[in-house]
Amino acid sequence: MPLTLELLRHGDALPAGPGGDVPRRLSPAGEQALRRLALRLAKDGWRPERVFASPLRRARDSAQLVLEPLTPPVQIEIMDELAHASEPAGILAALAKRQAVEGCVLLVGHQPLIGLLAAHL
């Protein structure tokens, strides 16, 4: 079975507060947009085999919202490289290390890395 990578940049987030960038939450508009996307994807029968999210809150929350309608639930795996890698090769190496080399895999991360990965692929 071939590998299908699906890329999702986290939803719209609130500005950084006193805690900095890491704990930023999704904005209400970002949450709404992700819930609409989740319903559309579920209606279309979408179901990834594996899901990796950046450890930053807004990416984890985005992944959770997109997966919410799916039953049984899909586990979200944290991939530090989605927050810290600066090159697509780092993400591809992390996927290989985790044996995520086939099936439908969703990656939830940040710009510019998600865009660079899309261009690389």
Side-chain angles (χ1 to χ4, degrees), residues 20-37:
D21 190 52
V22 173
R24 284 177 58 201
R25 300 176 64 113
L26 294 171
S27 70
E31 289 178 3
Q32 278 187 330
L34 287 162
R35 283 192 174 96
R36 284 192 308 272
L37 175 62

Side-chain angles (χ1 to χ4, degrees), residues 57-107:
R57 181 176 185 160
R58 59 194 180 275
R60 289 182 288 122
D61 290 351
S62 293
Q64 184 64 45
L65 287 170
V66 168
L67 298 173
E68 207 167 71
L70 302 182
T71 54
V74 177
Q75 174 90 16
I76 299 169
E77 301 175 59
I78 300 302
M79 182 184 284
D80 289 335
E81 293 86 350
L82 284 167
H84 305 295
S86 60
E87 296 292 328
I91 301 302
L92 298 177
L95 287 169
K97 179 180 173 185
R98 291 167 176 82
Q99 299 177 352
V101 294
E102 64 180 26
C104 179
V105 175
L106 172 64
L107 302 178

